[in-house]
């Protein structure tokens, strides 16, 4: 939803290598209902709602939580934007519906357990394990609000627009003068003047100005205390009873803070993530799945991106970003091969190791052991250089494995592409 605009605002590179580098940064993404519960703890106004996982729970929620509501909002919970315009693989249209309370169970039955495809999920879609039942609020105005980490100002940056409820990219294109950016001094924190500047830029129509300032300060407090990397509310709405409400929110958290944000990171829904990336994370490997045919196993992020670039240069397409790091064990190498060979799209595997801290003989032993555990049905191209390279080459030669060896990176990429033929 917001990524396109944020890239423009931060002047980030959209090169292939840059995109992979951004993806490598792991950030926890939580569901809308989880974000609403978290914001509520910080005193931020959110709609009344409850997440349910079965039709019995839907019925109970309608009776207990919304006994006097004639209408409710039923929202499918997947970690992707564009739910409202999404399509379920069972043919049902839309992942967000405003319905009569007595119709909620029927609508939920068409969502729960089904796969929703949106512009952000890819063709494979994501399964809906829960739906979020919310009160239908009477909104009189919709605005946009977000907090991100900005390199240019070396701190949090609040981005706000007096119009909201639709794509921020479209708003930026149509109403660039309505978008305001307020950098916050990371050492001093948000001041009353900072919060007032945001509120004046939002120009609320009915909400009390002082109350709105306090809501902005609470949002900033949440952002900092929970180690957010992004907090986006679209829409930030005004209700008919003159309140400022976070009607829909998206929150991301820095994985580096997992050790001190245990409660938040316990909310991680691995069923919404690429299973290959989940397996890689458990093995302490840096893995990002892509759509190509050449699986890559490399040590070092820079070398990994260079490897993928040279594969592209020779007419191939990388199937993944996989960095085993500088201290990988033999077991991690085995796990890396399991992940690569589990991808049906992979038609060849390129191993490119420049041994510094990482030793070539460890990689070689891992490759041999992986071959014993995994049926290698695709060509494996290996380029080893650096620490213990001769021992590594000897281990591979004595293994009897049918490998394609390469002298340098360019040679390895060329052979990998030819192996696809």
């Amino acid at each position: 939803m917001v990524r396109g605009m944020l890239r423009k605002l931060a002047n980030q590179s959209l090169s292939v290598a840059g995109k992979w580098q951004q993806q490598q940064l792991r950030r926890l993404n939580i569901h809308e209902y989880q974000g609403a519960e978290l914001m509520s703890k910080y005193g931020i106004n959110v709609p009344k709602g409850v997440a349910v996982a079965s039709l019995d729970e839907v019925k109970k929620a309608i009776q207990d939580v919304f006994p006097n509501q004639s209408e409710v909002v039923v929202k499918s919970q997947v970690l992707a934007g564009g739910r409202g315009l999404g399509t379920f693989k069972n043919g049902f249209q839309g992942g967000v519906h405003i319905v009569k309370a007595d119709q909620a169970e029927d609508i939920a039955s068409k969502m729960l357990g089904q796969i929703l495809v949106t512009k952000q999920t890819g063709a494979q879609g994501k399964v809906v394990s829960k739906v979020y039942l919310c009160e239908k609020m009477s909104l009189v105005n919709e605005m946009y609000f977000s907090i991100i980490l900005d390199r240019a100002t070396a701190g949090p940056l609040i981005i706000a627009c007096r119009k909201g409820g639709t794509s921020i990219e479209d708003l930026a294109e149509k109403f660039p003068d309505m978008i305001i950016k307020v950098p916050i001094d990371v050492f001093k924190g948000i001041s009353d003047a900072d919060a007032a500047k945001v509120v004046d830029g939002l120009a609320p129509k009915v909400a009390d100005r002082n109350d709105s300032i306090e809501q902005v300060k609470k949002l900033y407090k949440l952002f900092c205390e929970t180690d957010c990397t992004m907090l986006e509310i679209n829409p930030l709405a005004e209700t008919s009873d003159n309140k400022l409400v976070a009607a829909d929110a998206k929150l991301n958290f820095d994985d580096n803070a997992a050790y001190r944000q245990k409660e938040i990171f316990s909310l991680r829904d691995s069923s919404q993530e690429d299973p290959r990336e989940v397996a890689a994370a458990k093995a302490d490997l840096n893995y990002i799945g892509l759509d190509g045919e050449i699986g890559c196993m490399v040590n070092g992020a820079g070398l990994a991106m260079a490897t993928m670039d040279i594969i592209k240069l020779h007419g191939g397409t990388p199937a993944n970003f996989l960095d085993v790091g500088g201290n990988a064990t033999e077991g991690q190498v085995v796990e890396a091969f399991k992940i690569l060979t589990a991808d049906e799209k992979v038609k060849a595997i390129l191993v490119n190791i420049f041994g510094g801290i990482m030793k070539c003989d460890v990689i070689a032993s891992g490759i041999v052991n992986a071959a014993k555990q995994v049926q290698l049905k695709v060509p494996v191209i290996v380029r080893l250089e650096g620490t213990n390279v001769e021992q590594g080459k000897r281990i591979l030669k004595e293994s009897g494995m049918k490998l394609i060896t390469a002298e340098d990176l360019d040679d390895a990429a060329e052979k990998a592409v030819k192996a696809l033929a």
Side-chain angles (χ1 to χ4, degrees), residues 297 299 324-330 333 351 353-367 383-393 395:
M297 186 172 76
N299 67 313
V324 298
N327 297 304
T329 63
E330 194 175 301
V333 176
V351 180
I353 299 298
F354 187 82
I357 299 174
M358 186 71 250
K359 296 178 176 61
C360 294
D361 57 325
V362 174
I363 292 290
S365 296
I367 293 173
R383 180 255 182 168
L384 297 177
E385 194 60 68
T387 305
N388 295 350
V389 63
E390 295 305 323
Q391 294 97 309
K393 288 180 178 179
I395 290 170

PDB file of all heavy atoms in Angstrom, residues 297 299 324-330 333 351 353-367 383-393 395:
ATOM      1  N   MET A 297      23.593 -20.540  -3.833  1.00  0.00           N
ATOM      2  CA  MET A 297      24.075 -20.644  -2.459  1.00  0.00           C
ATOM      3  C   MET A 297      25.424 -19.937  -2.401  1.00  0.00           C
ATOM      4  O   MET A 297      26.398 -20.364  -3.036  1.00  0.00           O
ATOM      5  CB  MET A 297      24.223 -22.091  -2.001  1.00  0.00           C
ATOM      6  CG  MET A 297      24.584 -22.197  -0.519  1.00  0.00           C
ATOM      7  SD  MET A 297      24.554 -23.881   0.110  1.00  0.00           S
ATOM      8  CE  MET A 297      26.082 -24.510  -0.561  1.00  0.00           C
ATOM      9  N   ASN A 299      28.166 -17.146   0.060  1.00  0.00           N
ATOM     10  CA  ASN A 299      28.468 -16.609   1.389  1.00  0.00           C
ATOM     11  C   ASN A 299      28.728 -15.111   1.278  1.00  0.00           C
ATOM     12  O   ASN A 299      29.606 -14.670   0.546  1.00  0.00           O
ATOM     13  CB  ASN A 299      29.661 -17.333   2.014  1.00  0.00           C
ATOM     14  CG  ASN A 299      30.968 -17.064   1.287  1.00  0.00           C
ATOM     15  OD1 ASN A 299      31.016 -17.151   0.063  1.00  0.00           O
ATOM     16  ND2 ASN A 299      32.012 -16.759   2.029  1.00  0.00           N
ATOM     17  N   VAL A 324      24.711 -17.979   3.159  1.00  0.00           N
ATOM     18  CA  VAL A 324      24.967 -18.873   4.295  1.00  0.00           C
ATOM     19  C   VAL A 324      25.811 -18.190   5.357  1.00  0.00           C
ATOM     20  O   VAL A 324      26.013 -18.742   6.442  1.00  0.00           O
ATOM     21  CB  VAL A 324      25.658 -20.182   3.839  1.00  0.00           C
ATOM     22  CG1 VAL A 324      24.770 -20.954   2.896  1.00  0.00           C
ATOM     23  CG2 VAL A 324      27.013 -19.890   3.200  1.00  0.00           C
ATOM     24  N   GLY A 325      26.315 -16.986   5.060  1.00  0.00           N
ATOM     25  CA  GLY A 325      27.089 -16.244   6.044  1.00  0.00           C
ATOM     26  C   GLY A 325      28.531 -16.716   6.136  1.00  0.00           C
ATOM     27  O   GLY A 325      28.974 -17.607   5.401  1.00  0.00           O
ATOM     28  N   GLY A 326      29.249 -16.127   7.055  1.00  0.00           N
ATOM     29  CA  GLY A 326      30.669 -16.431   7.177  1.00  0.00           C
ATOM     30  C   GLY A 326      30.999 -17.522   8.164  1.00  0.00           C
ATOM     31  O   GLY A 326      32.122 -18.017   8.210  1.00  0.00           O
ATOM     32  N   ASN A 327      30.034 -17.928   8.992  1.00  0.00           N
ATOM     33  CA  ASN A 327      30.299 -18.935  10.020  1.00  0.00           C
ATOM     34  C   ASN A 327      29.378 -20.142   9.895  1.00  0.00           C
ATOM     35  O   ASN A 327      29.045 -20.791  10.881  1.00  0.00           O
ATOM     36  CB  ASN A 327      30.136 -18.323  11.413  1.00  0.00           C
ATOM     37  CG  ASN A 327      31.137 -17.222  11.687  1.00  0.00           C
ATOM     38  OD1 ASN A 327      32.338 -17.431  11.589  1.00  0.00           O
ATOM     39  ND2 ASN A 327      30.638 -16.037  12.020  1.00  0.00           N
ATOM     40  N   ALA A 328      28.967 -20.445   8.686  1.00  0.00           N
ATOM     41  CA  ALA A 328      28.016 -21.553   8.480  1.00  0.00           C
ATOM     42  C   ALA A 328      28.654 -22.887   8.855  1.00  0.00           C
ATOM     43  O   ALA A 328      29.838 -23.127   8.608  1.00  0.00           O
ATOM     44  CB  ALA A 328      27.556 -21.575   7.026  1.00  0.00           C
ATOM     45  N   THR A 329      27.850 -23.735   9.459  1.00  0.00           N
ATOM     46  CA  THR A 329      28.302 -25.084   9.787  1.00  0.00           C
ATOM     47  C   THR A 329      27.940 -26.028   8.651  1.00  0.00           C
ATOM     48  O   THR A 329      27.177 -25.680   7.739  1.00  0.00           O
ATOM     49  CB  THR A 329      27.632 -25.580  11.079  1.00  0.00           C
ATOM     50  OG1 THR A 329      26.201 -25.665  10.851  1.00  0.00           O
ATOM     51  CG2 THR A 329      27.883 -24.634  12.229  1.00  0.00           C
ATOM     52  N   GLU A 330      28.466 -27.215   8.747  1.00  0.00           N
ATOM     53  CA  GLU A 330      28.149 -28.234   7.742  1.00  0.00           C
ATOM     54  C   GLU A 330      26.649 -28.505   7.718  1.00  0.00           C
ATOM     55  O   GLU A 330      26.045 -28.679   6.659  1.00  0.00           O
ATOM     56  CB  GLU A 330      28.928 -29.514   8.076  1.00  0.00           C
ATOM     57  CG  GLU A 330      28.966 -30.545   6.968  1.00  0.00           C
ATOM     58  CD  GLU A 330      29.866 -31.708   7.344  1.00  0.00           C
ATOM     59  OE1 GLU A 330      31.072 -31.488   7.612  1.00  0.00           O
ATOM     60  OE2 GLU A 330      29.359 -32.845   7.382  1.00  0.00           O
ATOM     61  N   VAL A 333      24.766 -25.911   5.760  1.00  0.00           N
ATOM     62  CA  VAL A 333      24.914 -26.110   4.319  1.00  0.00           C
ATOM     63  C   VAL A 333      23.954 -27.188   3.835  1.00  0.00           C
ATOM     64  O   VAL A 333      23.332 -27.067   2.773  1.00  0.00           O
ATOM     65  CB  VAL A 333      26.372 -26.476   3.968  1.00  0.00           C
ATOM     66  CG1 VAL A 333      26.505 -26.791   2.479  1.00  0.00           C
ATOM     67  CG2 VAL A 333      27.310 -25.335   4.354  1.00  0.00           C
ATOM     68  N   VAL A 351      26.719 -22.870  -6.654  1.00  0.00           N
ATOM     69  CA  VAL A 351      27.371 -22.636  -5.361  1.00  0.00           C
ATOM     70  C   VAL A 351      28.582 -21.744  -5.623  1.00  0.00           C
ATOM     71  O   VAL A 351      29.496 -22.130  -6.363  1.00  0.00           O
ATOM     72  CB  VAL A 351      27.813 -23.960  -4.709  1.00  0.00           C
ATOM     73  CG1 VAL A 351      28.498 -23.677  -3.367  1.00  0.00           C
ATOM     74  CG2 VAL A 351      26.616 -24.881  -4.509  1.00  0.00           C
ATOM     75  N   ILE A 353      31.377 -19.735  -3.525  1.00  0.00           N
ATOM     76  CA  ILE A 353      31.950 -19.483  -2.196  1.00  0.00           C
ATOM     77  C   ILE A 353      33.317 -18.825  -2.329  1.00  0.00           C
ATOM     78  O   ILE A 353      34.200 -19.326  -3.026  1.00  0.00           O
ATOM     79  CB  ILE A 353      32.102 -20.792  -1.391  1.00  0.00           C
ATOM     80  CG1 ILE A 353      30.724 -21.452  -1.181  1.00  0.00           C
ATOM     81  CG2 ILE A 353      32.786 -20.522  -0.054  1.00  0.00           C
ATOM     82  CD1 ILE A 353      29.738 -20.633  -0.382  1.00  0.00           C
ATOM     83  N   PHE A 354      33.470 -17.694  -1.681  1.00  0.00           N
ATOM     84  CA  PHE A 354      34.772 -17.052  -1.562  1.00  0.00           C
ATOM     85  C   PHE A 354      35.165 -17.162  -0.092  1.00  0.00           C
ATOM     86  O   PHE A 354      34.676 -16.418   0.747  1.00  0.00           O
ATOM     87  CB  PHE A 354      34.715 -15.587  -2.011  1.00  0.00           C
ATOM     88  CG  PHE A 354      36.067 -14.938  -2.067  1.00  0.00           C
ATOM     89  CD1 PHE A 354      36.884 -15.119  -3.164  1.00  0.00           C
ATOM     90  CD2 PHE A 354      36.524 -14.170  -1.009  1.00  0.00           C
ATOM     91  CE1 PHE A 354      38.149 -14.534  -3.225  1.00  0.00           C
ATOM     92  CE2 PHE A 354      37.784 -13.578  -1.053  1.00  0.00           C
ATOM     93  CZ  PHE A 354      38.592 -13.771  -2.167  1.00  0.00           C
ATOM     94  N   GLY A 355      36.034 -18.105   0.191  1.00  0.00           N
ATOM     95  CA  GLY A 355      36.349 -18.429   1.579  1.00  0.00           C
ATOM     96  C   GLY A 355      37.274 -17.431   2.232  1.00  0.00           C
ATOM     97  O   GLY A 355      38.423 -17.283   1.835  1.00  0.00           O
ATOM     98  N   GLY A 356      36.745 -16.758   3.224  1.00  0.00           N
ATOM     99  CA  GLY A 356      37.554 -15.910   4.084  1.00  0.00           C
ATOM    100  C   GLY A 356      37.396 -16.495   5.467  1.00  0.00           C
ATOM    101  O   GLY A 356      38.118 -17.404   5.880  1.00  0.00           O
ATOM    102  N   ILE A 357      36.387 -16.020   6.176  1.00  0.00           N
ATOM    103  CA  ILE A 357      36.008 -16.664   7.441  1.00  0.00           C
ATOM    104  C   ILE A 357      35.399 -18.033   7.129  1.00  0.00           C
ATOM    105  O   ILE A 357      35.677 -19.026   7.795  1.00  0.00           O
ATOM    106  CB  ILE A 357      34.999 -15.777   8.206  1.00  0.00           C
ATOM    107  CG1 ILE A 357      35.629 -14.415   8.526  1.00  0.00           C
ATOM    108  CG2 ILE A 357      34.562 -16.461   9.488  1.00  0.00           C
ATOM    109  CD1 ILE A 357      34.672 -13.426   9.139  1.00  0.00           C
ATOM    110  N   MET A 358      34.541 -18.051   6.092  1.00  0.00           N
ATOM    111  CA  MET A 358      33.933 -19.313   5.674  1.00  0.00           C
ATOM    112  C   MET A 358      34.980 -20.181   4.984  1.00  0.00           C
ATOM    113  O   MET A 358      35.699 -19.708   4.109  1.00  0.00           O
ATOM    114  CB  MET A 358      32.786 -19.005   4.691  1.00  0.00           C
ATOM    115  CG  MET A 358      31.963 -20.221   4.265  1.00  0.00           C
ATOM    116  SD  MET A 358      30.940 -20.840   5.594  1.00  0.00           S
ATOM    117  CE  MET A 358      31.757 -22.372   5.975  1.00  0.00           C
ATOM    118  N   LYS A 359      35.068 -21.433   5.377  1.00  0.00           N
ATOM    119  CA  LYS A 359      36.087 -22.321   4.832  1.00  0.00           C
ATOM    120  C   LYS A 359      35.501 -23.198   3.724  1.00  0.00           C
ATOM    121  O   LYS A 359      34.425 -23.768   3.876  1.00  0.00           O
ATOM    122  CB  LYS A 359      36.684 -23.197   5.939  1.00  0.00           C
ATOM    123  CG  LYS A 359      37.434 -22.402   7.011  1.00  0.00           C
ATOM    124  CD  LYS A 359      37.968 -23.298   8.095  1.00  0.00           C
ATOM    125  CE  LYS A 359      38.796 -22.498   9.109  1.00  0.00           C
ATOM    126  NZ  LYS A 359      37.991 -21.449   9.786  1.00  0.00           N
ATOM    127  N   CYS A 360      36.232 -23.309   2.626  1.00  0.00           N
ATOM    128  CA  CYS A 360      35.751 -24.054   1.465  1.00  0.00           C
ATOM    129  C   CYS A 360      35.553 -25.540   1.765  1.00  0.00           C
ATOM    130  O   CYS A 360      34.671 -26.180   1.193  1.00  0.00           O
ATOM    131  CB  CYS A 360      36.725 -23.893   0.300  1.00  0.00           C
ATOM    132  SG  CYS A 360      36.811 -22.207  -0.354  1.00  0.00           S
ATOM    133  N   ASP A 361      36.377 -26.113   2.666  1.00  0.00           N
ATOM    134  CA  ASP A 361      36.217 -27.533   2.971  1.00  0.00           C
ATOM    135  C   ASP A 361      34.923 -27.801   3.735  1.00  0.00           C
ATOM    136  O   ASP A 361      34.309 -28.871   3.588  1.00  0.00           O
ATOM    137  CB  ASP A 361      37.423 -28.064   3.758  1.00  0.00           C
ATOM    138  CG  ASP A 361      37.676 -27.287   5.047  1.00  0.00           C
ATOM    139  OD1 ASP A 361      37.456 -26.061   5.053  1.00  0.00           O
ATOM    140  OD2 ASP A 361      38.087 -27.903   6.061  1.00  0.00           O
ATOM    141  N   VAL A 362      34.469 -26.836   4.554  1.00  0.00           N
ATOM    142  CA  VAL A 362      33.194 -26.981   5.262  1.00  0.00           C
ATOM    143  C   VAL A 362      32.040 -26.987   4.262  1.00  0.00           C
ATOM    144  O   VAL A 362      31.115 -27.811   4.351  1.00  0.00           O
ATOM    145  CB  VAL A 362      32.998 -25.841   6.293  1.00  0.00           C
ATOM    146  CG1 VAL A 362      31.604 -25.909   6.913  1.00  0.00           C
ATOM    147  CG2 VAL A 362      34.056 -25.936   7.375  1.00  0.00           C
ATOM    148  N   ILE A 363      32.094 -26.071   3.289  1.00  0.00           N
ATOM    149  CA  ILE A 363      31.069 -26.029   2.248  1.00  0.00           C
ATOM    150  C   ILE A 363      31.067 -27.331   1.459  1.00  0.00           C
ATOM    151  O   ILE A 363      30.008 -27.926   1.194  1.00  0.00           O
ATOM    152  CB  ILE A 363      31.316 -24.840   1.295  1.00  0.00           C
ATOM    153  CG1 ILE A 363      31.079 -23.517   2.017  1.00  0.00           C
ATOM    154  CG2 ILE A 363      30.408 -24.939   0.061  1.00  0.00           C
ATOM    155  CD1 ILE A 363      29.638 -23.220   2.359  1.00  0.00           C
ATOM    156  N   ALA A 364      32.256 -27.800   1.098  1.00  0.00           N
ATOM    157  CA  ALA A 364      32.359 -29.033   0.315  1.00  0.00           C
ATOM    158  C   ALA A 364      31.776 -30.228   1.065  1.00  0.00           C
ATOM    159  O   ALA A 364      31.036 -31.034   0.503  1.00  0.00           O
ATOM    160  CB  ALA A 364      33.821 -29.294  -0.045  1.00  0.00           C
ATOM    161  N   SER A 365      32.107 -30.344   2.353  1.00  0.00           N
ATOM    162  CA  SER A 365      31.567 -31.449   3.157  1.00  0.00           C
ATOM    163  C   SER A 365      30.055 -31.350   3.262  1.00  0.00           C
ATOM    164  O   SER A 365      29.346 -32.370   3.221  1.00  0.00           O
ATOM    165  CB  SER A 365      32.185 -31.423   4.556  1.00  0.00           C
ATOM    166  OG  SER A 365      33.571 -31.642   4.507  1.00  0.00           O
ATOM    167  N   GLY A 366      29.552 -30.118   3.386  1.00  0.00           N
ATOM    168  CA  GLY A 366      28.101 -29.928   3.434  1.00  0.00           C
ATOM    169  C   GLY A 366      27.424 -30.349   2.151  1.00  0.00           C
ATOM    170  O   GLY A 366      26.350 -30.968   2.170  1.00  0.00           O
ATOM    171  N   ILE A 367      28.044 -30.017   1.021  1.00  0.00           N
ATOM    172  CA  ILE A 367      27.478 -30.404  -0.280  1.00  0.00           C
ATOM    173  C   ILE A 367      27.414 -31.931  -0.395  1.00  0.00           C
ATOM    174  O   ILE A 367      26.410 -32.503  -0.817  1.00  0.00           O
ATOM    175  CB  ILE A 367      28.319 -29.813  -1.428  1.00  0.00           C
ATOM    176  CG1 ILE A 367      28.190 -28.288  -1.442  1.00  0.00           C
ATOM    177  CG2 ILE A 367      27.877 -30.389  -2.770  1.00  0.00           C
ATOM    178  CD1 ILE A 367      29.113 -27.598  -2.432  1.00  0.00           C
ATOM    179  N   ARG A 383      31.820 -23.099  -7.640  1.00  0.00           N
ATOM    180  CA  ARG A 383      33.013 -22.258  -7.729  1.00  0.00           C
ATOM    181  C   ARG A 383      33.499 -22.007  -6.305  1.00  0.00           C
ATOM    182  O   ARG A 383      32.794 -21.404  -5.489  1.00  0.00           O
ATOM    183  CB  ARG A 383      32.693 -20.948  -8.434  1.00  0.00           C
ATOM    184  CG  ARG A 383      33.904 -20.015  -8.571  1.00  0.00           C
ATOM    185  CD  ARG A 383      33.825 -18.865  -7.593  1.00  0.00           C
ATOM    186  NE  ARG A 383      34.952 -17.933  -7.750  1.00  0.00           N
ATOM    187  CZ  ARG A 383      35.017 -16.736  -7.194  1.00  0.00           C
ATOM    188  NH1 ARG A 383      34.013 -16.302  -6.442  1.00  0.00           N
ATOM    189  NH2 ARG A 383      36.068 -15.979  -7.353  1.00  0.00           N
ATOM    190  N   LEU A 384      34.673 -22.510  -5.992  1.00  0.00           N
ATOM    191  CA  LEU A 384      35.265 -22.326  -4.679  1.00  0.00           C
ATOM    192  C   LEU A 384      36.554 -21.532  -4.817  1.00  0.00           C
ATOM    193  O   LEU A 384      37.355 -21.773  -5.729  1.00  0.00           O
ATOM    194  CB  LEU A 384      35.579 -23.673  -4.022  1.00  0.00           C
ATOM    195  CG  LEU A 384      34.414 -24.619  -3.715  1.00  0.00           C
ATOM    196  CD1 LEU A 384      34.952 -25.911  -3.132  1.00  0.00           C
ATOM    197  CD2 LEU A 384      33.425 -23.979  -2.769  1.00  0.00           C
ATOM    198  N   GLU A 385      36.787 -20.619  -3.888  1.00  0.00           N
ATOM    199  CA  GLU A 385      38.020 -19.846  -3.878  1.00  0.00           C
ATOM    200  C   GLU A 385      38.268 -19.372  -2.457  1.00  0.00           C
ATOM    201  O   GLU A 385      37.332 -19.055  -1.729  1.00  0.00           O
ATOM    202  CB  GLU A 385      37.908 -18.643  -4.811  1.00  0.00           C
ATOM    203  CG  GLU A 385      39.233 -17.969  -5.123  1.00  0.00           C
ATOM    204  CD  GLU A 385      40.218 -18.910  -5.791  1.00  0.00           C
ATOM    205  OE1 GLU A 385      39.963 -19.311  -6.949  1.00  0.00           O
ATOM    206  OE2 GLU A 385      41.215 -19.259  -5.133  1.00  0.00           O
ATOM    207  N   GLY A 386      39.538 -19.364  -2.035  1.00  0.00           N
ATOM    208  CA  GLY A 386      39.850 -18.820  -0.720  1.00  0.00           C
ATOM    209  C   GLY A 386      40.343 -19.859   0.268  1.00  0.00           C
ATOM    210  O   GLY A 386      40.995 -20.837  -0.100  1.00  0.00           O
ATOM    211  N   THR A 387      39.997 -19.678   1.538  1.00  0.00           N
ATOM    212  CA  THR A 387      40.512 -20.503   2.631  1.00  0.00           C
ATOM    213  C   THR A 387      40.193 -21.985   2.430  1.00  0.00           C
ATOM    214  O   THR A 387      39.037 -22.359   2.224  1.00  0.00           O
ATOM    215  CB  THR A 387      39.922 -20.031   3.976  1.00  0.00           C
ATOM    216  OG1 THR A 387      40.186 -18.642   4.139  1.00  0.00           O
ATOM    217  CG2 THR A 387      40.537 -20.801   5.145  1.00  0.00           C
ATOM    218  N   ASN A 388      41.215 -22.816   2.491  1.00  0.00           N
ATOM    219  CA  ASN A 388      41.094 -24.277   2.364  1.00  0.00           C
ATOM    220  C   ASN A 388      40.462 -24.710   1.046  1.00  0.00           C
ATOM    221  O   ASN A 388      39.768 -25.733   0.984  1.00  0.00           O
ATOM    222  CB  ASN A 388      40.289 -24.857   3.537  1.00  0.00           C
ATOM    223  CG  ASN A 388      40.972 -24.690   4.871  1.00  0.00           C
ATOM    224  OD1 ASN A 388      42.143 -24.303   4.936  1.00  0.00           O
ATOM    225  ND2 ASN A 388      40.263 -24.967   5.954  1.00  0.00           N
ATOM    226  N   VAL A 389      40.740 -23.947  -0.010  1.00  0.00           N
ATOM    227  CA  VAL A 389      40.105 -24.266  -1.287  1.00  0.00           C
ATOM    228  C   VAL A 389      40.570 -25.617  -1.835  1.00  0.00           C
ATOM    229  O   VAL A 389      39.762 -26.376  -2.407  1.00  0.00           O
ATOM    230  CB  VAL A 389      40.349 -23.135  -2.329  1.00  0.00           C
ATOM    231  CG1 VAL A 389      41.831 -22.987  -2.646  1.00  0.00           C
ATOM    232  CG2 VAL A 389      39.565 -23.395  -3.599  1.00  0.00           C
ATOM    233  N   GLU A 390      41.853 -25.952  -1.669  1.00  0.00           N
ATOM    234  CA  GLU A 390      42.344 -27.213  -2.205  1.00  0.00           C
ATOM    235  C   GLU A 390      41.721 -28.401  -1.474  1.00  0.00           C
ATOM    236  O   GLU A 390      41.363 -29.409  -2.092  1.00  0.00           O
ATOM    237  CB  GLU A 390      43.877 -27.271  -2.107  1.00  0.00           C
ATOM    238  CG  GLU A 390      44.587 -26.241  -2.967  1.00  0.00           C
ATOM    239  CD  GLU A 390      44.178 -26.325  -4.434  1.00  0.00           C
ATOM    240  OE1 GLU A 390      43.960 -27.455  -4.938  1.00  0.00           O
ATOM    241  OE2 GLU A 390      44.062 -25.264  -5.079  1.00  0.00           O
ATOM    242  N   GLN A 391      41.582 -28.261  -0.136  1.00  0.00           N
ATOM    243  CA  GLN A 391      40.916 -29.335   0.613  1.00  0.00           C
ATOM    244  C   GLN A 391      39.473 -29.495   0.156  1.00  0.00           C
ATOM    245  O   GLN A 391      38.956 -30.609   0.028  1.00  0.00           O
ATOM    246  CB  GLN A 391      40.946 -29.036   2.116  1.00  0.00           C
ATOM    247  CG  GLN A 391      42.342 -29.042   2.717  1.00  0.00           C
ATOM    248  CD  GLN A 391      42.916 -27.644   2.829  1.00  0.00           C
ATOM    249  OE1 GLN A 391      42.899 -26.896   1.838  1.00  0.00           O
ATOM    250  NE2 GLN A 391      43.426 -27.302   4.008  1.00  0.00           N
ATOM    251  N   GLY A 392      38.802 -28.360  -0.079  1.00  0.00           N
ATOM    252  CA  GLY A 392      37.417 -28.403  -0.533  1.00  0.00           C
ATOM    253  C   GLY A 392      37.269 -29.079  -1.878  1.00  0.00           C
ATOM    254  O   GLY A 392      36.382 -29.928  -2.084  1.00  0.00           O
ATOM    255  N   LYS A 393      38.151 -28.741  -2.809  1.00  0.00           N
ATOM    256  CA  LYS A 393      38.090 -29.355  -4.139  1.00  0.00           C
ATOM    257  C   LYS A 393      38.379 -30.850  -4.054  1.00  0.00           C
ATOM    258  O   LYS A 393      37.766 -31.654  -4.784  1.00  0.00           O
ATOM    259  CB  LYS A 393      39.088 -28.668  -5.062  1.00  0.00           C
ATOM    260  CG  LYS A 393      38.682 -27.261  -5.475  1.00  0.00           C
ATOM    261  CD  LYS A 393      39.714 -26.626  -6.400  1.00  0.00           C
ATOM    262  CE  LYS A 393      39.260 -25.240  -6.845  1.00  0.00           C
ATOM    263  NZ  LYS A 393      40.254 -24.577  -7.729  1.00  0.00           N
ATOM    264  N   ILE A 395      37.740 -32.847  -1.485  1.00  0.00           N
ATOM    265  CA  ILE A 395      36.561 -33.506  -0.902  1.00  0.00           C
ATOM    266  C   ILE A 395      35.507 -33.741  -1.974  1.00  0.00           C
ATOM    267  O   ILE A 395      34.904 -34.820  -2.066  1.00  0.00           O
ATOM    268  CB  ILE A 395      35.989 -32.657   0.251  1.00  0.00           C
ATOM    269  CG1 ILE A 395      36.933 -32.673   1.449  1.00  0.00           C
ATOM    270  CG2 ILE A 395      34.604 -33.158   0.661  1.00  0.00           C
ATOM    271  CD1 ILE A 395      36.576 -31.672   2.541  1.00  0.00           C
TER     272      ILE A 395
END
